[in-house]
Amino acid sequence: GAGVSQSPRYKVAKRGQDVALRCDPISGHVSLFWYQQALGQGPEFLTYFQNEAQLDKSGLPSDRFFAERPEGSVSTLKIQRTQQEDSAVYLCASSPERGQTYGYTFGSGTRLTVV
Amino acid sequence: QKEVEQDPGPLSVPEGAIVSLNCTYSNSAFQYFMWYRQYSRKGPELLMYTYSSGNKEDGRFTAQVDKSSKYISLFIRDSQPSDSATYLCAMSEFSGGYNKLIFGAGTRLAVHP
């Protein structure tokens, strides 16, 4: 596709429910990032993939958060036993090269509300 | 203290005004400095990119980086209502073969006709 596609756009989850958020990066993009953006805040790094390899997961806030990119294209961010503090917009970004220093293309995000 | 500090605003200016947006940072290893624009319910889009210190101009936008003061700025000339958005500064150091962007909190800008 022409851009980074994320689905669903909106998700309401009951506290304790598991959720899965999907990211379709631009075709052929090697690097893929997940960010979390709380209301009124800037995006915060969660995790980084280079192709199918998860090279950095230092930003994942707890072991309830899990991300995968099994074939080096589509990625899924899974949150188990959701809590109210997980409410945020989850952004996915991709870039064509491993060492690119700028110009990541962001998706429009998935807005997660935990009630 | 956060690595990147940015005044959240909001900032309200009349159409045609010059807008100045700023960020400070604490990590002297940052080498790459960016400004993103984010419209409501959209993802951030890259506006300006600067490597190391100096100025860069692109149309109505000018980005400045002063590494000695750990201070970056974005100037918008002849502001338009369509410039109304949240502006995020972001910076990174190239480490481990990739760039992990660290964002400021974003400044909300409203340009009124």
Side-chain angles (χ1 to χ4, degrees):
Chain A
V4 177
S5 178
Q6 293 189 246
S7 60
R9 286 297 314 275
Y10 304 93
K11 176 69 178 178
V12 178
K14 290 185 178 179
R15 186 176 169 186
Q17 186 179 354
D18 296 350
V19 298
L21 312 180
R22 178 186 170 105
C23 173
D24 280 86
I26 295 172
S27 179
H29 276 200
V30 169
S31 293
L32 186 145
F33 298 81
W34 283 99
Y35 283 82
Q36 180 191 58
Q37 187 173 22
L39 187 65
Q41 299 297 314
E44 292 197 359
F45 172 83
L46 292 177
T47 188
Y48 167 68
F49 288 88
Q50 181 184 312
N51 295 308
E52 69 278 4
Q54 188 176 22
L55 299 186
D56 187 343
K57 53 182 180 180
S58 62
L60 296 176
S62 77
D63 58 7
R64 297 186 295 105
F65 286 71
F66 172 76
E68 60 183 5
R69 194 186 184 197
E71 296 179 358
S73 55
V74 171
S75 178
T76 304
L77 176 67
K78 297 179 180 179
I79 309 174
Q80 296 176 325
R81 304 181 304 281
T82 52
Q83 304 294 315
Q84 281 194 318
E85 62 263 27
D86 300 336
S87 295
V89 175
Y90 291 85
L91 294 164
C92 177
S94 69
S95 71
E97 298 173 9
R98 178 183 71 88
Q100 187 148 326
T101 56
Y102 68 95
Y104 302 146
T105 303
F106 281 84
S108 292
T110 293
R111 183 177 297 271
L112 173 66
T113 303
V114 181
V115 298
Chain B
Q1 185 183 2
K2 291 188 174 182
E3 278 190 286
V4 180
E5 298 282 355
Q6 183 176 10
D7 186 339
L11 188 61
S12 181
V13 301
E15 184 175 355
I18 296 175
V19 176
S20 173
L21 305 168
N22 311 292
C23 288
T24 59
Y25 62 95
S26 56
N27 187 348
S28 57
F30 287 146
Q31 299 171 290
Y32 303 94
F33 304 91
M34 286 143 277
W35 287 94
Y36 282 82
R37 178 174 61 195
Q38 187 174 29
Y39 290 114
S40 180
R41 301 190 185 278
K42 296 289 187 182
E45 58 175 326
L46 182 68
L47 267 182
M48 299 287 286
Y49 158 80
T50 310
Y51 170 69
S52 196
S53 283
N55 293 0
K56 187 172 184 178
E57 188 173 321
D58 184 1
R60 298 184 294 112
F61 299 90
T62 300
Q64 290 185 349
V65 175
D66 182 348
K67 291 191 72 178
S68 61
S69 302
K70 297 190 179 67
Y71 187 87
I72 71 170
S73 301
L74 178 71
F75 297 95
I76 307 174
R77 291 182 298 280
D78 187 25
S79 56
Q80 302 295 310
S82 59
D83 295 328
S84 299
T86 295
Y87 290 80
L88 298 155
C89 63
M91 45 201 79
S92 68
E93 55 174 313
F94 190 74
S95 175
Y98 67 98
N99 267 309
K100 178 165 50 179
L101 299 182
I102 309 299
F103 284 87
T107 300
R108 288 184 62 187
L109 172 66
V111 181
H112 52 85

